[in-house]
Amino acid sequence: MQSLSNRKKVLEQKPMSFWERIYLPAIAKGLSITIKHFFKKIPTVKYPEEIRPYSKNFRGQHSLKRDEQGRERCTACGLCALSCPAEAITMIAAERTKEELHLYREEKYAAVYEINMLRCIFCGLCEEACPKEAIYLDGKHVTADYLRKDFIYGKDKLVEPKFDITKLSQTTNN
Ligand code: SF4
Ligand code: SF4
C-alpha cells in the first residue's frame, strides 16, 4: 500500500560480512564508547547530599511577611487569589479587633490563608499582584510528602516566624 507520509524505507537484508559475523569490531566499538564516558565530567548532582546553588530568580515556597513591628502585612484583599492562574490560593478574611492591633497591620486580615502547592506553578503572579508586599516566593522548594492534603499549606507554614524587634532596631542603628 502507498505510504501517506512517503517516508517509508525499504530495508535491504544484505548478508553479513566476515567482520560482522564475528561481532568483535562491534564489541570493541561499544567498549570504547563506555570507556570514553568514564573520563567525562559527571553531570549528575547527588541531591540531597550535594545542592546546586540556586539561581537569583529562583521562586520557592511562599512566605507571608510581617512588618517592622512583627505584624502580619496581609489584608486579605484577595488580589493574589484573583491573579493566580492555577486557583491555588484561598482565604477567609476577618476584622481586626482592638486587642489584635499588635498582630495585624491592617483593619482586615486573613484568618485563614491557604495555598495548594500541588496546584501552584510558581509563576510569581501572586507576589506581583500584592499591594501590601505581603507575599514573596523566597523560600526553598516545597518538600515531598505522601498525602495530597499535606500539600495544602496554611498560615502555620506560610507566615514568616516572629523576629526579635529589639535585635532589628539594634542592627538598623549600627
Ligand atoms: S506562584 Fe502563581 S500559581 Fe503559585 S500561588 Fe502564586 S499566582 Fe498561584
Ligand atoms: S497576600 Fe497580598 S494580595 Fe494576597 S490577600 Fe494578602 S494583601 Fe492581598
Side-chain angles (χ1 to χ4, degrees), residues 23-71:
Y23 294 112
L24 282 177
I27 290 169
K29 196 177 163 194
L31 276 176
S32 72
I33 292 170
T34 310
I35 291 164
K36 239 193 292 173
H37 281 280
F38 275 127
F39 301 104
K40 274 193 179 167
K41 195 172 172 258
I42 302 167
T44 320
V45 176
K46 291 172 192 156
Y47 184 84
E49 289 82 22
E50 223 178 277
I51 296 174
R52 255 210 302 235
Y54 288 98
S55 138
K56 276 186 194 161
N57 302 330
F58 174 76
R59 296 194 198 105
Q61 192 193 305
H62 314 62
S63 81
L64 290 172
K65 299 293 176 192
R66 294 179 185 277
D67 68 2
E68 51 290 342
Q69 292 172 37
R71 300 173 301 180

Side-chain angles (χ1 to χ4, degrees), residues 6-137:
N6 237 1
R7 282 179 298 190
K8 197 161 78 175
K9 280 184 188 166
V10 180
L11 292 178
E12 277 179 55
Q13 287 212 325
K14 282 190 290 183
M16 286 168 98
S17 67
F18 169 75
W19 291 109
E20 282 170 338
R21 264 184 286 136
I22 61 170
Y23 294 112
L24 282 177
I27 290 169
K29 196 177 163 194
L31 276 176
S32 72
I33 292 170
T34 310
I35 291 164
K36 239 193 292 173
H37 281 280
F38 275 127
F39 301 104
K40 274 193 179 167
K41 195 172 172 258
I42 302 167
T44 320
V45 176
K46 291 172 192 156
Y47 184 84
E49 289 82 22
E50 223 178 277
I51 296 174
R52 255 210 302 235
Y54 288 98
S55 138
K56 276 186 194 161
N57 302 330
F58 174 76
R59 296 194 198 105
Q61 192 193 305
H62 314 62
S63 81
L64 290 172
K65 299 293 176 192
R66 294 179 185 277
D67 68 2
E68 51 290 342
Q69 292 172 37
R71 300 173 301 180
E72 288 178 25
R73 283 173 170 267
C74 176
T75 186
C77 63
L79 283 176
C80 52
L82 281 175
S83 66
C84 176
E87 299 197 6
I89 303 177
T90 51
M91 73 191 71
I92 298 172
E95 293 285 333
R96 182 186 67 182
T97 61
K98 276 183 192 160
E99 295 74 43
E100 292 171 337
L101 280 173
H102 62 295
L103 296 176
Y104 310 109
R105 194 174 65 163
E106 311 287 338
E107 288 165 11
K108 209 172 78 169
Y109 69 94
V112 176
Y113 190 107
E114 286 179 348
I115 303 180
N116 186 333
M117 293 299 174
L118 291 178
R119 280 174 167 254
C120 177
I121 51 170
F122 298 91
C123 60
L125 288 179
C126 49
E127 183 182 302
E128 282 180 36
C130 181
K132 299 289 176 186
E133 297 184 349
I135 188 164
Y136 284 93
L137 280 79

